[in-house]
Amino acid sequence: MKHTSKIDLENIETVGKLAAQKACAIIRKHYKQRDFVTSMKGESDLVTTADLASEAAIKKIIRQHFPLHQILAEESDHSVDPRKGEVWIIDPIDGTTNFAHGFPVFAVSIAFVSKGKILFGVIAHPLWKETYTAVSGKGAYCNGEKISVSSTKKLSQALLATGFPYDRKESDENNMAAFVRFELRSRCVRRPGSAATDLAQVACGRFDGFWEPGLHPWDVAAGILLVEEAGGKVTDYEGKKIKDFWNRQIVASNKKLHRVMLDTIAETRKKPLKSKNFL
Ligand code: IPD
């Protein structure tokens, strides 16, 4: 692997996958040994020493190979703008709450973005041993096998996924009204607790669609590319392409369900279920 400041996507993919594998090994060890310390970042937002160890290992590998690239990572400085220059976007454990409670749904998510365009993404599951990868224009893969989104056309036959933001008690953008409507109009809605995992499941056709407010660049960057490269569609709640990774709205689908998902979300935003009425 060469040290270079030019964009060599093969090299980016090799290093990104290597970093994800290293992070998975660290996470697996801590998960099995239960030897990590958990602390709070907010009222319900957890961080563990395993998140920090995973992030440090990923950053070390990226810096060794690409010393000129910038890094935006969940547990570090958030001032890096992914729309400028070459930026790696890292979630060292997406699904930290699941990880800390011993629920085996969490993933490492790493994306490489150049001037706001996502060129590479990897989402790796330390326990499922599934690694999803996508390179811009080259399709999406799980463990090297090509994947594609589902062909479900009707919302009533769709299996969807979502999640709820950490500020759900304070904000009326709490996703409750949308959850109720989708749960009643689709086949079912799942809330696995790892947005990166949810997006990877849309990419491989297990979920037909996913939406969530309040997410951050590290939760979604790799997953956006995976869904698009698998033939799906990803937008904000207005149906616009996500250009600002901090926009905190995402709808990802198999394309066929996109319009109905946007319309359903729009209905619920006119009449939210206010958090204060349920506390
Ligand atoms: C969280 C997960 C969860 C979503 C939260 C995210 P984290 O990421 O993706 O599914 O509902 O909003 O913050 O904090 O575990 O990396």
Side-chain angles (χ1 to χ4, degrees):
M1 279 168 278
K2 302 164 274 176
H3 287 247
T4 173
S5 60
K6 284 198 192 130
I7 300 175
D8 171 351
L9 277 181
E10 241 175 75
N11 214 10
I12 298 272
E13 184 179 9
T14 307
V15 173
K17 277 164 52 177
L18 181 74
Q21 277 161 12
K22 176 77 186 159
C24 281
I26 291 170
I27 295 165
R28 245 188 327 266
K29 177 178 151 290
H30 289 299
Y31 187 75
K32 286 189 179 142
Q33 297 177 353
R34 308 304 291 165
D35 60 353
F36 55 86
V37 177
T38 304
S39 44
M40 306 297 296
K41 286 195 281 186
E43 202 193 329
S44 52
D45 195 358
L46 303 181
V47 59
T48 74
T49 46
D51 292 71
L52 303 178
S54 167
E55 183 165 305
I58 297 168
K59 284 165 84 172
K60 189 173 167 199
I61 291 173
I62 290 171
R63 286 204 174 114
Q64 268 167 3
H65 294 281
F66 302 107
L68 300 178
H69 292 177
Q70 298 200 78
I71 294 178
L72 172 62
E74 179 174 16
E75 312 305 343
S76 311
D77 177 18
H78 293 166
S79 63
V80 172
D81 185 345
R83 292 167 303 177
K84 290 182 188 150
E86 274 69 60
V87 180
W88 291 81
I89 306 182
I90 300 165
D91 194 336
I93 303 183
D94 183 62
T96 301
T97 305
N98 289 345
F99 173 83
H101 285 258
F103 182 59
V105 180
F106 43 83
V108 175
S109 176
I110 304 173
F112 173 75
V113 177
S114 176
K115 297 185 192 78
K117 187 168 162 43
I118 311 165
L119 297 181
F120 166 73
V122 55
I123 293 175
H125 283 267
L127 303 179
W128 304 0
K129 305 235 173 115
E130 286 191 351
T131 300
Y132 303 89
T133 51
V135 174
S136 179
K138 300 219 161 131
Y141 295 82
C142 175
N143 292 349
E145 303 263 320
K146 206 162 195 320
I147 53 172
S148 58
V149 295
S150 72
S151 54
T152 308
K153 288 196 190 93
K154 289 186 179 163
L155 186 60
S156 60
Q157 291 170 356
L159 182 63
L160 304 177
T162 192
F164 299 89
Y166 287 120
D167 62 356
R168 58 189 171 269
K169 289 188 190 171
E170 299 80 45
S171 166
D172 289 334
E173 189 74 82
N174 56 22
N175 202 24
M176 299 296 168
F179 177 76
V180 172
R181 272 193 171 69
F182 278 122
E183 178 65 19
L184 296 173
R185 293 179 189 178
S186 67
R187 179 158 285 158
C188 254
V189 180
R190 299 290 180 244
R191 196 285 191 240
S194 164
T197 301
D198 297 338
L199 287 163
Q201 303 318 292
V202 174
C204 69
R206 293 175 184 152
F207 289 150
D208 302 297
F210 166 76
W211 85 98
E212 185 167 336
L215 290 170
H216 296 99
W218 43 87
D219 301 309
V220 297
I224 292 173
L225 185 65
L226 270 162
V227 172
E228 288 177 346
E229 287 296 323
K233 184 164 178 170
V234 184
T235 67
D236 63 14
Y237 283 2
E238 267 70 53
K240 295 196 188 102
K241 197 167 164 63
I242 294 177
K243 287 196 185 126
D244 177 1
F245 294 99
W246 288 98
N247 85 336
R248 295 172 66 96
Q249 295 178 349
I250 186 166
V251 185
S253 76
N254 65 357
K255 248 184 208 165
K256 299 186 165 67
L257 292 167
H258 212 80
R259 188 68 258 163
V260 70
M261 288 188 72
L262 291 176
D263 291 346
T264 308
I265 291 168
E267 271 180 63
T268 66
R269 296 186 92 207
K270 284 182 213 137
K271 226 179 157 203
L273 288 174
K274 292 189 180 291
S275 301
K276 68 174 179 351
N277 297 337
F278 295 87
L279 286 165

